[in-house]
Amino acid sequence: MIDVSYSNIKNGLVKLICEELKTMLEKLPKEEQEEMSAIRVGFITYNKVLHFFNVKSNLAQPQMMVVTDVGEVFVPLLDGFLVNYQESQSVIHNLLDQIPDMFADSNENETVFAPVIQAGMEALKAADCPGKLFIFHSSLPTAEAPGKLKNRDDKKLVNTDKEKILFQPQTNVYDSLAKDCVAHGCSVTLFLFPSQYVDVASLGLVPQLTGGTLYKYNNFQMHLDRQQFLNDLRNDIEKKIGFDAIMRVRTSTGFRATDFFGGILMNNTTDVEMAAIDCDKAVTVEFKHDDKLSEDTGALIQCAVLYTTISGQRRLRIHNLGLNCSSQLADLYKSCETDALINFFAKSAFKAVLHQPLKVIREILVNQTAHMLACYRKNCASPSAASQFTCEK
């Protein structure tokens, strides 16, 4: 979905995206044994209305259908919207050549955003398949439509107890939209090119909860940012991905999973739902130790993920992990995984930002770190080494 508002046309961004997609779509992910990717592609452009394109392989030229009712978005065509890239390549190349010229004289600067996601999700729903939306967007959606936002960038709230309001979405539209997307296996990746305030707290919620990614290029300049953007886009299109995933974590007695962090949604306490999961995503799990653990039998964890492959197969991936248990703190510190700890603390802090002042979160992080180091100093370090804080390998 490509934002074709005035600024995106004038700065050459739309032309760049269309030109590069011609080669990038050659590299859609596929199963190892397959010659051709099973993934189908579709195209929507938008400003304050949506333009759907029919790119069926037997057409001489692509056909455009305009949806002006952004309050109740519907998909105006099924056959010819989602197509195999190889089969429809000539029609798709025609379309990508035409889009920059089609909107060259447009002075429309207002955009919508929530209806764009809704349209993509409805198209996937109608095709009865999961999928991923790549949205190229540049401004605060101020056009009259669901998800309309206003500029609320208030510097006076920074470093006050009310600062957390700036990190919360302006409207609950995006939260309920994200839940719908996860329910239908629709992941959203957003490329943002803002030249002024865009309210990432609201626009970024759907990518965050649907296992997507948000890329942000402030004041995009072609000669400076072009290569970084193209690298990001290429990597995101080509990487391995699984759709419509559900994960469960089971443990042996003595401890249990209590909290989960990542691009996930949870409608109950056990099922971790993900519209998509790829090789760059991690789900962090917090366990609570609430009973005796045996040094003889250790602690057992099983993580099972049911997901749909890019070729449409439903698969189950299971990881079993056996961990040693010890009553000696020195053993714990020696096998401690720093990357996992930092990942956990960062995600915990990110979640807390919505409810607590930054100053409080910072103090909690400092106290937790100091407590870990103090425990090591007290229980593990030799008395002579006053400055020793790291474990010997």
Side-chain angles (χ1 to χ4, degrees), residues 358-382:
L358 290 182
K359 187 181 173 187
V360 173
I361 298 166
R362 202 173 288 118
E363 281 171 9
I364 291 169
L365 283 172
V366 170
N367 291 341
Q368 285 173 319
T369 310
H371 181 63
M372 284 189 288
L373 295 174
C375 279
Y376 174 78
R377 181 84 188 85
K378 181 181 174 185
N379 300 286
C380 308
S382 54

Side-chain angles (χ1 to χ4, degrees), residues 19-261:
E19 202 55 46
E20 293 299 325
L21 281 177
K22 290 181 199 172
T23 51
M24 288 187 188
L25 292 175
E26 300 274 1
K27 301 278 179 61
L28 288 169
K30 58 178 187 279
E31 299 286 1
E32 284 172 17
Q33 68 275 15
E34 290 182 349
E35 283 183 33
M36 199 187 293
S37 174
I39 291 176
R40 289 174 290 163
V41 295
F43 300 86
I44 293 175
T45 57
Y46 66 95
N47 35 50
K48 65 179 188 183
V49 297
L50 307 177
H51 322 103
F52 289 75
F53 293 95
N54 184 346
V55 283
K56 201 172 179 183
S57 57
N58 60 5
L59 293 175
Q61 290 289 331
Q63 296 171 347
M64 181 169 83
M65 298 181 186
V66 182
V67 173
T68 55
D69 185 0
V70 289
E72 294 285 336
V73 174
F74 66 97
V75 182
L77 77 158
L78 291 180
D79 189 28
F81 178 64
L82 288 173
V83 297
N84 178 288
Y85 175 70
Q86 305 295 342
E87 290 172 6
S88 293
Q89 189 173 353
S90 62
V91 192
I92 289 172
H93 281 211
N94 263 346
L95 172 65
L96 294 172
D97 285 337
Q98 289 171 25
I99 285 173
D101 297 332
M102 213 180 282
F103 300 98
D105 298 327
S106 168
N107 292 320
E108 187 54 72
N109 240 335
E110 280 197 317
T111 58
V112 296
F113 186 71
V116 179
I117 299 174
Q118 185 81 37
M121 183 185 69
E122 294 295 342
L124 291 171
K125 234 162 92 177
D128 196 24
C129 66
K132 179 170 173 177
L133 312 183
F134 288 83
I135 303 180
F136 305 94
H137 188 82
S138 67
S139 59
L140 197 68
T142 53
E144 211 50 59
K148 175 184 176 181
L149 300 174
K150 62 178 188 288
N151 189 329
R152 52 163 185 169
D153 191 20
D154 190 350
K155 299 281 192 293
K156 294 196 290 292
L157 296 182
V158 175
N159 293 325
T160 70
D161 285 353
K162 288 186 175 179
E163 185 176 9
K164 61 190 175 192
I165 295 168
L166 300 177
F167 301 118
Q168 297 165 359
Q170 265 188 59
T171 161
N172 60 10
V173 166
Y174 292 105
D175 186 54
S176 57
L177 189 54
K179 287 174 180 168
D180 282 349
C181 283
V182 174
H184 294 101
C186 172
S187 176
V188 177
T189 281
L190 174 60
F191 291 84
L192 264 182
F193 307 89
S195 56
Q196 51 198 7
Y197 174 79
V198 282
D199 195 356
V200 173
S202 298
L203 299 187
L205 188 66
V206 179
Q208 181 196 329
L209 294 178
T210 60
T213 308
L214 190 151
Y215 301 91
K216 187 162 173 266
Y217 312 89
N218 286 340
N219 299 308
F220 182 84
Q221 292 181 57
M222 195 65 74
H223 63 289
L224 292 177
D225 306 310
R226 179 180 186 275
Q227 205 49 55
Q228 182 63 57
F229 161 57
L230 293 180
N231 289 346
D232 292 339
L233 178 57
R234 188 174 294 110
N235 290 340
D236 213 300
I237 284 177
E238 292 177 16
K239 65 187 173 188
K240 293 264 173 74
I241 187 168
F243 294 103
D244 204 9
I246 189 160
M247 181 179 97
R248 260 195 190 178
V249 176
R250 300 176 179 87
T251 60
S252 51
T253 53
F255 71 122
R256 59 195 168 87
T258 55
D259 210 351
F260 299 84
F261 304 87

